[in-house]
Amino acid sequence: MATRYEKHLAEQKELEDAIFRESMLALGATFVGASALSALAYRFSPAYRSTPISAKTAFILAPSIGVFYVRGEQVGTQFRRNKFAYQLEGEERAQIEERKRAQESRKTTMDRAAAFVMENQWKILGYTWLTGMGGAAFYLYRKKGLATSQKVVQA
């Protein structure tokens, strides 16, 4: 019979394995996608060809590493949220679900908005950053007096 400590270690190992597996899948997919976009940009954009290799590397690695950490956080949160639900009997689980639905119906609009922000905080952060970078790149692209490398650095 396993002790409580051994069960805790097994759960911790399961969590770490799940986080690592899902994070690596997200990292690989993002790296392949970013590399493909970089290859297309290199093929069709003379401005991208003149961009320094360090900037091209950053264009590939920055989203890949960000997705790696975000996906790990999502998997960990989901694992912890579901950990206790599987330990309950069917009737207890139904009661908890009923209580959750009742609490959801009593929430105000501000409560729902706060819950949405907490559940999607990484997506909101990422899209905000991406929008800011896109806006800066668009603004700087229109400036004629700057070289491409200066535009990349300023963006």
Side-chain angles (χ1 to χ4, degrees), residues 20-127:
F20 183 75
R21 182 179 52 252
E22 292 294 323
S23 296
M24 289 305 288
L25 284 173
L27 174 73
T30 308
F31 186 80
V32 168
S35 298
L37 286 174
S38 179
L40 284 172
Y42 187 82
R43 171 86 169 95
F44 296 110
S45 173
Y48 189 77
R49 279 188 222 120
S50 65
T51 303
I53 191 72
S54 57
K56 292 175 188 173
T57 305
F59 289 149
I60 294 172
L61 290 181
S64 301
I65 293 170
V67 166
F68 176 80
Y69 283 111
V70 169
R71 184 63 185 145
E73 180 73 21
Q74 288 174 342
V75 169
T77 302
Q78 190 176 24
F79 183 87
R80 289 180 196 94
R81 186 179 299 148
N82 295 334
K83 176 182 171 186
F84 298 108
Y86 293 121
Q87 297 173 354
L88 300 174
E89 297 297 322
E91 192 174 298
E92 291 173 325
R93 199 176 304 140
Q95 289 174 352
I96 288 174
E97 289 297 323
E98 186 177 322
R99 266 190 255 136
K100 281 183 182 177
R101 275 187 250 117
Q103 287 174 347
E104 285 293 323
S105 67
R106 289 190 300 259
K107 282 187 175 180
T108 64
T109 304
M110 287 301 290
D111 291 337
R112 284 192 212 110
F116 176 81
V117 168
M118 290 305 294
E119 289 173 11
N120 298 296
Q121 63 186 351
W122 292 110
K123 290 178 186 174
I124 293 169
L125 179 68
Y127 289 139

